[in-house]
Amino acid sequence: MTRAELIGALAGRFYPRFADRMAAEVLAADAVGLLYDLATEPEALPRAVRHKVVWRGAYVLERIFFTRPEAFAPYAARFCSRDFAACADPGARRSFAKTMAALLRADEVAPEELDRIAEAAAEWTLDPATKTAVRVWALEILNRCRSRVEWVAASWDDLLAAATLRSSPGVLCRLRRIRYE
């Protein structure tokens, strides 16, 4: 699978089970590295397809992470150290946040990366433009970082209070779950 073929497939028509089918194609072509680069380096993409390729690429990477974690493993350190926090695409953030929450849950994140990860999650949580699903996963990330990042623990009550302002029912539900954990 070439770069142009993968861009065409990601920017093309969306169909049922898109992520499953694309993940299978990418894995069969041994093109996870190419997919990772497309999803994390948007400036290298043509402007006309940038959002679609980044968002769908992140979605397919998420599927690969959860179904074949060993295929994602070579990129996990780079994801934690740079690409998670650098993600600016609102669609890709949901998949990236879900993946990061799973990495934190499995304790597979180097301690020196936690501050940057928590900072990005706090920004996503507090930004009023952030979509509900991203905010829910960002809160999960902050909750996982709370015992490991001093400033998150120190500002936890303020973060929760700010997250409740103008929040959707989905975010409020997640906040209730966090409070009772």
Side-chain angles (χ1 to χ4, degrees), residues 117-127 135 138-146 149-165 167 171-172 175 178-179:
I117 290 164
E119 183 179 330
E123 286 177 20
W124 298 356
T125 298
L126 301 177
D127 181 357
R135 292 177 96 195
L139 283 165
E140 177 67 24
I141 290 166
L142 288 169
N143 193 31
R144 297 282 172 188
C145 289
R146 184 168 39 153
V149 178
E150 190 175 312
W151 70 263
V152 174
S155 60
W156 184 246
D157 291 337
D158 293 334
L159 284 167
L160 291 183
T164 10
L165 300 174
S167 287
V171 171
L172 294 173
L175 287 168
I178 287 173
R179 285 189 177 119

Side-chain angles (χ1 to χ4, degrees), residues 23-181:
E25 288 180 34
V26 167
L27 289 165
D30 195 26
V32 177
L34 178 58
L35 174 66
Y36 187 88
D37 290 343
L38 289 175
T40 59
E41 297 172 10
E43 60 282 345
L45 293 166
R47 189 172 192 85
V49 298
R50 187 174 294 159
H51 170 69
K52 270 188 182 178
V53 171
V54 170
W55 172 64
R56 292 178 181 178
Y59 183 37
V60 175
L61 276 174
E62 173 195 329
R63 189 58 46 112
I64 289 170
F65 173 80
F66 284 104
T67 59
R68 294 269 308 277
E70 69 280 1
F72 183 86
Y75 311 97
R78 189 171 123 194
F79 180 74
C80 294
S81 68
R82 185 185 81 186
D83 297 326
F84 171 78
C87 182
D89 185 87
R93 283 181 174 178
R94 183 207 157 274
S95 292
F96 279 15
K98 187 175 178 182
T99 301
M100 181 55 72
L103 286 167
L104 288 165
R105 195 174 314 114
D107 203 21
E108 294 185 20
V109 179
E112 62 271 12
E113 308 302 344
L114 292 171
D115 194 62
R116 180 179 331 192
I117 290 164
E119 183 179 330
E123 286 177 20
W124 298 356
T125 298
L126 301 177
D127 181 357
T130 300
K131 302 287 185 198
T132 298
V134 177
R135 292 177 96 195
V136 166
W137 285 111
L139 283 165
E140 177 67 24
I141 290 166
L142 288 169
N143 193 31
R144 297 282 172 188
C145 289
R146 184 168 39 153
S147 64
R148 301 184 240 178
V149 178
E150 190 175 312
W151 70 263
V152 174
S155 60
W156 184 246
D157 291 337
D158 293 334
L159 284 167
L160 291 183
T164 10
L165 300 174
R166 298 177 312 274
S167 287
S168 69
V171 171
L172 294 173
C173 179
R174 182 65 189 122
L175 287 168
R176 279 192 300 274
R177 275 188 53 214
I178 287 173
R179 285 189 177 119
Y180 295 115
E181 287 179 346

